[in-house]
Amino acid sequence: KQWYQRRVAITAGNDVLADLFKVRRQNSAMMNQNNPFLPFEDSAPLCELMKKKDASLFVFGSHNKKRPHNLVFGRTFDGKILDMIEFGVTNFKKLSQFKSTKVPLGAKPCLIFNGDVFEKFPDWGIIQNFFCDFFCTTKTSSINLQGLEYVISISAVEPDNLLIRSYEVNMKKSGADSPYVELVEIGVSLDLKLRRSQFAPADIRKHALKVPKAAKIGKTKNITHDMAGTKLATVHMTKQNIQEMPQSKMKGSSKKREAKVEGAVKKAKVEKVESSPDVEEEAMETS
């Protein structure tokens, strides 16, 4: 869960927070009150507010003469600040400035990171990991090509510049097996400049990345899942001799029952033949 907070009234910062909230509105909350927070100087009030809102990711907007149009992205672990990255907004386009269709609610974006800066410097690798947590709520092991509707491109440009662009994926017929893919920009469109960063020590980060045993999903042999999520299992059995297997016979086809039925039918016929002369004599006497 994420929440967005602004400290003072600003033009660019408010619009950025509002558009980020619209993109992540399914699992986020917008805070409109002004709070005199200084995340890098004193993070205790911010942590208390995040505990109250039950949130682990945040975006804090502020504006002053020294740091105009300021955005602080951060995440917490165990009620304490884990990472904080401060950016300055240098260029921004509102969602209302794009005429294309909007992304449906709950659509999972495909993240594309451009630039070798993410691999060269460890700090930029942490920034890459943060935006993966920020824009993607769940991890997927496979992708359906027809379900790919939303792409977020994050490009690192030296020195210390970050470009965020969002695109809608339109697939058209190409006359081949793979469709022709057209990207249409829909926003968010952000140009950011890195100002400050605060990352957790290696031991705290290792503890934060540790997965509990209860949350680990162990591999089970011979069990798979189909596209609908149904569990399918394969059972291996030894070879069986069908001829030696005991077979149960139906009561309707037993020989004893057939003999009893035939005997009852014959007995009924004999009684009918024996009783017919007596019936004729009684009829003559009455006449």
Side-chain angles (χ1 to χ4, degrees):
K1 186 178 178 181
Q2 306 165 10
W3 64 273
Y4 305 88
Q5 174 70 43
R6 60 187 180 189
R7 192 176 66 153
V8 294
I10 54 175
T11 304
N14 285 347
D15 294 337
V16 172
L17 293 178
D19 285 357
L20 288 175
F21 170 71
K22 291 177 182 178
V23 173
R24 301 288 295 112
R25 61 187 179 276
Q26 189 177 8
N27 297 309
S28 61
M30 185 73 177
M31 309 294 293
N32 294 318
Q33 64 268 27
N34 299 328
N35 291 309
F37 291 161
L38 298 174
F40 282 88
E41 284 73 15
D42 184 13
S43 60
L46 189 61
C47 293
E48 290 295 329
L49 185 59
M50 293 190 67
K51 285 182 181 179
K52 182 179 178 182
K53 298 299 180 181
D54 190 20
S56 59
L57 298 169
F58 69 90
V59 183
F60 183 83
S62 61
H63 176 72
N64 53 48
K65 186 177 180 180
K66 186 177 179 181
R67 293 184 176 89
H69 310 300
N70 201 53
L71 290 178
V72 179
F73 293 82
R75 55 184 171 183
T76 63
F77 170 72
D78 197 17
K80 298 179 181 179
I81 294 294
L82 184 67
D83 298 319
M84 282 194 300
I85 310 120
E86 186 180 69
F87 294 100
V89 180
T90 58
N91 191 15
F92 169 67
K93 289 184 180 180
K94 296 182 181 180
L95 292 176
S96 58
Q97 295 177 350
F98 298 94
K99 297 181 180 180
S100 59
T101 58
K102 305 304 178 184
V103 178
L105 181 65
K108 297 179 181 179
C110 175
L111 294 182
I112 301 175
F113 291 92
N114 305 309
D116 55 355
V117 180
F118 295 111
E119 299 178 357
K120 282 184 178 180
F121 304 103
D123 291 351
W124 281 92
I126 297 175
I127 294 174
Q128 179 184 8
N129 179 263
F130 171 82
F131 281 108
C132 288
D133 287 346
F134 186 82
F135 288 110
C136 294
T137 55
T138 57
K139 294 182 179 180
T140 56
S141 58
S142 59
I143 298 175
N144 184 8
L145 186 61
Q146 299 299 326
L148 186 61
E149 302 175 333
Y150 186 30
V151 173
I152 297 178
S153 174
I154 302 176
S155 303
V157 182
E158 296 183 9
D160 301 337
N161 289 324
L162 196 71
L163 310 180
I164 300 177
R165 300 291 185 271
S166 302
Y167 301 94
E168 181 185 12
V169 180
N170 293 330
M171 297 185 183
K172 300 180 181 180
K173 294 182 179 180
S174 63
D177 295 337
S178 58
Y180 173 74
V181 179
E182 182 181 11
L183 298 179
V184 181
E185 189 174 0
I186 58 174
V188 176
S189 179
L190 270 174
D191 291 354
L192 303 176
K193 184 175 180 59
L194 181 62
R195 289 177 176 170
R196 287 186 295 177
S197 61
Q198 177 183 318
F199 302 123
D203 54 343
I204 298 178
R205 184 171 303 279
K206 183 179 179 180
H207 182 58
L209 295 176
K210 187 177 180 180
V211 180
K213 292 183 179 180
K216 292 182 179 179
I217 302 175
K219 293 184 179 180
T220 307
K221 293 182 178 180
N222 305 322
I223 292 180
T224 58
H225 294 81
D226 59 5
M227 296 180 64
T230 306
K231 184 185 291 186
L232 304 176
T234 304
V235 180
H236 299 278
M237 300 180 63
T238 58
K239 188 176 181 180
Q240 297 179 351
N241 189 357
I242 301 177
Q243 302 298 331
E244 297 179 357
M245 292 177 61
Q247 300 179 1
S248 59
K249 297 181 180 180
M250 296 179 62
K251 294 182 179 180
S253 61
S254 61
K255 294 182 179 180
K256 292 182 179 181
R257 184 164 184 173
E258 291 178 357
K260 288 182 180 181
V261 172
E262 290 179 359
V265 172
K266 289 180 180 180
K267 186 177 180 181
K269 288 183 179 179
V270 171
E271 290 179 355
K272 185 177 182 181
V273 171
E274 291 178 354
S275 61
S276 59
D278 299 336
V279 175
E280 292 178 359
E281 290 178 1
E282 290 178 1
M284 292 175 64
E285 289 177 1
T286 54
S287 61

